[in-house]
Amino acid sequence: MAKVALRDQLLTARRRRALAEIGDAARKIAEHLLADADVRRAATVAAYVSVGSEPGTSVLLDRLREAGKRVLLPVLLPDNDLDWAAYEGAADLVSAGRGLLEPAGPSLGVEAVATADVVLVPGLAVSRTGLRMGRGGGSYDRALGRVPVGTTTCVLLYADEVLDHVPAEPHDRPVTAAATPDGILRF
C-alpha cells in the first residue's frame, strides 16, 4: 500500500509541472548525461521515449545518435516484458499501446539490453541507495535483471524525486545513478 500511495502522490505532482519546467528539465538532463564519462565512452545506450510529464528524452535521443552512439529503445511485449529495437530517428517511431512510441525497426530480442554500455530508464522516484520505483508493471525490473553487473544504469527524474527512502519489494532492481536537472547522482 505504501508503494501505491507514493506512486499516486508522485504522478499527481508530475501532472502539475508546467510545460516550461518539463522542457527545461529535459535539456539539463541531456546536457549532464552527454557530458558524463560513462555515456561519452559508450558505444551503445539503451534508453526510452518519454511520455506525458516524464523528464523529456527526445533531445537526448537525437544527441546520442549525433554523437555516433547506437541507441536501443524498448518495445513493450504483451506480457509487459521489453523487447528492444534500434532508434533511427523520430520519424522512425510508431504509436504503440498505452500511449507509447516505439521504433518501427526489427526486434533485437529481450536480451539486447545486455549489449548496452549504459542503460537509461524511466522511474517515478529513487532512494539515496539506488532503489528505483517505477509505475508498477515490472517491465524495467525484468530488463535491469538482464544487464551485466558493472553496467551504468541510470534513472531520469526531477530533482525532488530523489528521496531518502522508497518502498521496495524483492523483485525491485536498483540503479547505479540518477540524472536530474541538478546533475548526476551516483549510488
Side-chain angles (χ1 to χ4, degrees):
M1 290 305 282
K3 235 182 188 183
V4 172
L6 180 57
R7 190 174 285 123
D8 287 346
Q9 177 186 0
L10 292 163
L11 286 168
T12 297
R14 277 197 176 173
R15 284 190 290 272
R16 292 183 178 149
R17 292 188 190 273
L19 287 177
E21 179 187 0
I22 295 168
D24 185 53
R27 284 185 293 281
K28 288 178 178 176
I29 289 170
E31 288 170 13
H32 294 309
L33 285 169
L34 292 164
D36 182 72
D38 290 345
V39 174
R40 284 196 325 267
R41 282 192 301 267
T44 301
V45 176
Y48 63 97
V49 178
S50 59
V51 295
S53 56
E54 288 180 332
T57 60
S58 60
V59 169
L60 175 63
L61 296 175
D62 289 335
R63 300 239 349 247
L64 286 168
R65 283 195 69 237
E66 289 167 10
K69 313 289 181 201
R70 177 179 182 230
V71 179
L72 302 180
L73 296 179
V75 175
L76 186 64
L77 297 171
D79 66 354
N80 282 340
D81 206 346
L82 298 177
D83 197 339
W84 298 85
Y87 175 62
E88 302 297 339
D92 178 54
L93 297 175
V94 296
S95 294
R98 301 184 190 179
L100 301 174
L101 292 174
E102 298 174 344
S107 286
L108 302 172
V110 296
E111 298 292 335
V113 69
T115 67
D117 304 299
V118 172
V119 179
L120 306 177
V121 298
L124 293 175
V126 71
S127 73
R128 297 194 183 279
T129 59
L131 284 175
R132 174 193 153 273
M133 188 170 81
R135 290 185 179 257
S139 301
Y140 280 93
D141 288 316
R142 283 189 256 180
L144 287 169
R146 296 179 181 108
V147 175
V149 172
T151 302
T152 297
T153 55
C154 182
V155 60
L156 280 57
L157 299 169
Y158 296 100
D160 60 357
E161 295 171 338
V162 178
L163 308 175
D164 290 333
H165 172 77
V166 297
E169 297 175 54
H171 68 267
D172 290 334
R173 299 288 179 151
V175 292
T176 62
T180 76
D182 294 346
I184 297 178
L185 303 169
R186 303 276 179 198
F187 306 115

